[in-house]
Amino acid sequence: MVLQYEVEQFLYREAALLDDRRFAEWLALIDDDIHYWMPIRRTVTVENLRLEYAKADGMAYFDDDKADLRMRVEKLQSNSAWSENPPSRTRHLVSNVRILEVKGDEIALEAAIHLYRSRLNDKIDNWIGKRRDRLRRVDGDFRIFERHIFLDQTVVLSTNFSSLF
Amino acid sequence: MPDHVQTNPTGAEAEDIQIPDVSGGLIDRAVYADPKLYRLELRRIFARAWNFMCHETQIPDAGDYFINYIGEDQVIVVRGEDGAVRVLLNTCRHRGNALCRAELGNTRTFVCSYHGWTYGLDGKLIGIPGKADFYRDAIDQDKSGLVQAAKVDHYRGFYFATLDPGAPSLFDYLGDVGRVGMESMLNHGDVVALDGVQKNVIDCNWKIAVDNLFDWYHVKVSHNSASRVGFLNQAAMMPMTQMVMLGELGHAIGGPMVTQEEQARLDALSDEERLAIDALPDAERLKVTPTMRRPLRSSATKEAMGPVGVRATGHPNIFPNLWISTRGMQLSLRLPRGPGRTEIWWFTVMPKSFTDQQRRAAKKFITHAFGPAGLLEQDDGENWSQSTMSSLGVASRRHPHNMQMAMGQDEVLVDPSGQKAIETRVNEHAQRWTYRCWAEWLRARDWPELMATRSSSPTGRL
């Protein structure tokens, strides 16, 4: 129960950092061996569900390590990242948090996410899906060392992904 | 070709549409917004052209299928029991329902989810529920197969289809410039498609997404943030030397080039030496490579691309909407979804000869460049969207887009081989060529008229 509470509070704090555009502080919660990945999802028949996600050695929307995420954060902080200037307004909702496994200092969890983006005056994006995170305890806090994002959209109905999940 | 398939309807509707004059490099904004022009594009460009479908390795086995579009017609690209690839309209001959609702997969038949009409992989109608009981056998099953593309062909494994039986062969359609573009993907021999096509939707006219691929002017500003964080090397992306090749029917290549001096140094290296240089880490490679451009093309590639084409390392567009990108490892379709909406698809192919390490390194670069999360592409979509939306304003519409950069200031050089190119700085020649050919496609009522009226690849001052 305590662990569940701790993990949830951590995820809410992390979400707030992204929504408040405190990207450097967010990056500090990411461990050096992070794998940040969003595979391509596809509409398939029930018979072909094994093809629903593109293979791990295939293409993905995100397939980032720490250096890649640092680059994304630096880009977000520059005034010439036009996709984020004017900045989007985002709200990261995290729910249905389930701890799947605890192994020593490492915790595997699954959560439902809803990332809402309001862009300019008339653009709205809703990205809903499931996130599989792996956290480890470091210095009395958590660090994320794996984040796999599984969106419920197949064709991405958005101009871009300029937000972090 | 069954008589009920109208590939070139030339009804009155088409006759009274004003096709803007784009010859002076000024583009009427109606081009990006007029629904009538858009309908005409679907009929006279997409339903007539050779459209890219997929790579053969995406559908290796009998029953494998991949869904694509020809204009707004959805098609099933499917490999039959006989190994042949067919392109079938994804619409039941009974009530028009989509037979296939998945993006890809494997199947033995296509069964309509409305009334159960069942088609084979070759498109033949093989089952009608209630044929005896309800139709009382008064239905001609043989005449109700799925509508097939008029022609399907491939270029070294890259499949294309056209709905128009009057279209020239794929080889002739591509012409020299189109083939140079295709060969840029085959430098290391045969390729294999990586699993996964990135797809996203941008609220822009498809042509703005197309003409942007020739636009090396926007790189410095649009992609400033990607440069500042070290993803993009501006010096390599925007050199003062650029080459443009303009092909008949609207194909073009525009962007950086290998100079004659660099090519001479490259020619002096063996193919093994070229491979070894490309395998070096970036910083090491720069010290020894005869050119910054990647990959170093082989002697066989030079043979295939020609002495001028081999030096063109910019972006080819196979008219109308296929961009060959990212060092010849990606193809991007700009699929029209109405005048103000475009679906962007990214296919990725890599040489079969690549080691795992080479594949991983290339994949990393590709994933971070393009697609909706790409550090480059992130910043393109909103520009295209706003450029499209402004076309709706009455006052804005009175002022055309300006595509006059370097107009009348360059010379087309004709090589002894017959290949033609402009060697210049950043320019808008390829954009102007694209719109000039676009207007020719729209004016011509059928393939014979298009072939008789289309511009030849230009020579002289341009």
Side-chain angles (χ1 to χ4, degrees):
Chain A
M1 278 302 278
V2 175
L3 182 63
Q4 174 81 22
Y5 178 79
E6 267 186 296
V7 165
E8 284 177 4
Q9 289 300 310
F10 171 78
L11 294 175
Y12 300 159
R13 178 157 54 94
E14 186 227 330
L17 290 176
L18 287 174
D19 292 337
D20 295 342
R21 301 182 65 77
R22 291 157 65 182
F23 298 117
E25 290 168 68
W26 177 80
L27 193 64
L29 300 179
I30 305 297
D31 223 338
D32 290 342
D33 57 344
I34 181 79
H35 184 222
Y36 182 98
W37 183 59
M38 184 197 287
I40 294 171
R41 194 171 190 172
R42 313 178 277 216
T43 305
V44 292
T45 60
V46 172
E47 296 82 356
N48 286 303
L49 271 174
R50 70 199 151 77
L51 300 172
E52 184 172 18
Y53 292 100
K55 293 183 192 124
D57 66 353
M59 290 300 292
Y61 288 113
F62 289 90
D63 196 354
D64 286 12
D65 60 20
K66 181 75 180 270
D68 299 326
L69 286 176
R70 188 177 296 117
M71 203 152 61
R72 289 190 194 277
V73 164
E74 283 172 17
K75 185 177 182 303
L76 281 166
Q77 289 169 330
S78 78
N79 295 341
S80 59
W82 307 116
S83 51
E84 284 297 324
N85 188 5
S88 305
R89 287 132 333 241
T90 65
R91 199 60 50 198
H92 288 72
L93 306 179
V94 184
S95 152
N96 305 27
V97 177
R98 289 182 300 132
I99 293 172
L100 302 179
E101 194 186 14
V102 181
K103 223 198 266 171
D105 280 346
E106 296 185 353
I107 299 148
L109 66 95
E110 192 173 293
I113 58 160
H114 182 167
L115 171 48
Y116 167 86
R117 174 173 76 172
S118 162
R119 178 111 206 94
L120 306 183
N121 296 322
D122 55 359
K123 305 277 184 204
I124 284 173
D125 295 288
N126 282 290
W127 297 305
I128 294 172
K130 142 179 110 175
R131 216 169 60 190
R132 284 208 187 119
D133 292 342
R134 297 177 86 87
L135 315 178
R136 71 166 62 94
R137 283 189 190 275
V138 176
D139 303 333
D141 198 1
F142 293 114
R143 296 280 181 280
I144 305 161
F145 69 97
E146 188 174 282
R147 169 153 293 173
H148 291 177
I149 307 135
F150 304 90
L151 280 199
D152 291 335
Q153 283 180 17
T154 49
V155 175
V156 176
L157 302 175
S158 304
T159 300
N160 60 33
F161 285 134
S162 55
S163 306
L164 289 161
F165 286 83
Chain B
M1 194 70 188
D3 56 9
H4 55 269
V5 183
Q6 271 199 303
T7 53
N8 285 308
T10 53
E13 196 195 336
E15 301 304 323
D16 61 18
I17 297 172
Q18 197 72 36
I19 296 156
D21 175 16
V22 293
S23 58
L26 296 176
I27 311 296
D28 188 322
R29 297 192 194 193
V31 161
Y32 305 117
D34 184 341
K36 282 189 183 169
L37 272 176
Y38 175 74
R39 296 300 304 171
L40 196 62
E41 286 175 337
L42 293 182
R43 283 208 302 278
R44 292 193 170 173
I45 296 178
F46 290 95
R48 191 184 277 172
W50 281 93
N51 294 260
F52 177 63
M53 296 287 102
C54 68
H55 188 257
E56 62 180 4
T57 56
Q58 291 179 267
I59 46 169
D61 300 321
D64 285 349
Y65 64 87
F66 178 79
I67 298 294
N68 204 327
Y69 291 87
I70 295 179
E72 296 218 21
D73 284 304
Q74 202 176 46
V75 292
I76 308 170
V77 191
V78 57
R79 193 176 291 276
E81 302 288 354
D82 55 358
V85 171
R86 293 181 179 80
V87 174
L88 313 167
L89 284 194
N90 187 17
T91 178
C92 184
R93 293 294 302 280
H94 177 217
R95 295 298 307 279
N97 185 27
L99 286 155
C100 186
R101 300 174 182 204
E103 289 170 79
L104 79 176
N106 182 279
T107 188
R108 293 167 73 174
T109 55
F110 297 104
V111 183
C112 183
S113 57
Y114 201 169
H115 305 89
W117 283 32
T118 300
Y119 301 86
L121 299 178
D122 57 2
K124 281 204 187 90
L125 180 59
I126 55 178
I128 301 176
K131 189 182 174 196
D133 290 344
F134 310 141
Y135 283 100
R136 295 141 226 224
D137 286 318
I139 182 164
D140 193 341
Q141 193 166 333
D142 294 338
K143 283 194 177 156
S144 297
L146 291 180
V147 179
Q148 309 222 6
K151 297 183 189 185
V152 179
D153 199 359
H154 70 97
Y155 191 96
R156 294 275 302 272
F158 293 92
Y159 272 89
F160 290 75
T162 174
L163 298 177
D164 194 326
S169 70
L170 175 62
F171 188 86
D172 289 345
Y173 177 82
L174 291 170
D176 182 52
V177 172
R179 292 195 295 269
V180 166
M182 297 304 294
E183 291 291 340
S184 72
M185 295 185 283
L186 299 163
N187 184 49
H188 297 296
D190 284 338
V191 297
V192 58
L194 263 57
D195 194 22
V197 176
Q198 295 172 323
K199 301 178 180 178
N200 76 304
V201 179
I202 298 180
D203 290 332
C204 72
N205 183 269
W206 67 276
K207 295 184 296 301
I208 289 182
V210 167
D211 75 52
N212 182 262
L213 74 94
F214 300 120
D215 183 334
W216 294 83
Y217 186 38
H218 84 293
V219 176
K220 193 165 189 170
V221 175
S222 289
H223 304 307
N224 179 285
S225 63
S227 314
R228 282 171 57 168
V229 302
F231 181 73
L232 193 66
N233 178 345
Q234 287 276 4
M237 288 293 284
M238 251 185 74
M240 285 296 279
T241 47
Q242 295 244 324
M243 181 186 278
V244 180
M245 296 181 83
L246 305 175
E248 287 164 16
L249 296 172
H251 313 303
I253 303 173
M257 63 183 277
V258 173
T259 64
Q260 295 211 16
E261 297 71 39
E262 289 172 336
Q263 185 64 40
R265 289 206 296 278
L266 182 57
D267 287 342
L269 299 173
S270 71
D271 286 335
E272 291 70 30
E273 287 170 317
R274 299 179 204 191
L275 282 173
I277 290 171
D278 272 349
L280 294 171
D282 283 352
E284 296 299 308
R285 181 183 182 272
L286 267 182
K287 291 179 197 156
V288 292
T289 183
T291 169
M292 287 175 87
R293 311 304 306 161
R294 270 180 187 277
L296 297 182
R297 288 173 174 162
S298 69
S299 44
T301 302
K302 184 177 179 182
E303 203 60 39
M305 296 176 93
V308 176
V310 76
R311 298 195 292 112
T313 58
H315 289 157
N317 185 51
I318 307 298
F319 194 87
N321 63 343
L322 178 67
W323 171 20
I324 297 166
S325 179
T326 334
R327 303 169 183 168
M329 291 185 288
Q330 288 198 289
L331 305 98
S332 180
L333 278 176
R334 281 70 165 86
L335 297 166
R337 284 283 167 283
R341 206 165 150 82
T342 303
E343 228 171 90
I344 309 283
W345 289 16
W346 284 99
F347 299 75
T348 305
V349 295
M350 286 194 193
K352 281 181 174 160
S353 62
F354 262 20
T355 62
D356 283 350
Q357 194 192 345
Q358 282 175 308
R359 186 176 295 198
R360 270 199 303 275
K363 191 165 79 99
K364 189 168 178 68
F365 171 74
I366 284 170
T367 311
H368 291 96
F370 296 112
L375 292 169
L376 298 184
E377 193 161 304
Q378 269 184 38
D379 295 314
D380 282 321
E382 209 162 88
N383 288 341
W384 303 346
S385 170
Q386 300 291 324
S387 290
T388 300
M389 293 224 302
S390 69
S391 309
L392 301 173
V394 173
S396 301
R397 176 100 58 110
R398 291 188 191 121
H399 305 278
H401 285 195
N402 183 313
M403 266 176 228
Q404 294 180 320
M405 187 185 287
M407 191 166 76
Q409 296 180 33
D410 285 314
E411 201 79 39
V412 179
L413 304 172
V414 185
D415 183 78
S417 68
Q419 287 193 306
K420 297 192 274 285
I422 304 163
E423 296 191 22
T424 181
R425 307 175 198 173
V426 167
N427 63 83
E428 289 174 342
H429 291 299
Q431 291 93 316
R432 282 193 296 279
W433 178 250
T434 301
Y435 285 95
R436 178 168 152 186
C437 297
W438 168 87
E440 291 170 358
W441 278 77
L442 290 193
R443 278 190 216 106
R445 281 165 299 185
D446 53 22
W447 264 108
E449 189 175 334
L450 178 59
M451 292 307 270
T453 55
R454 58 144 173 54
S455 293
S456 303
S457 178
T459 52
R461 195 130 189 106
L462 202 65

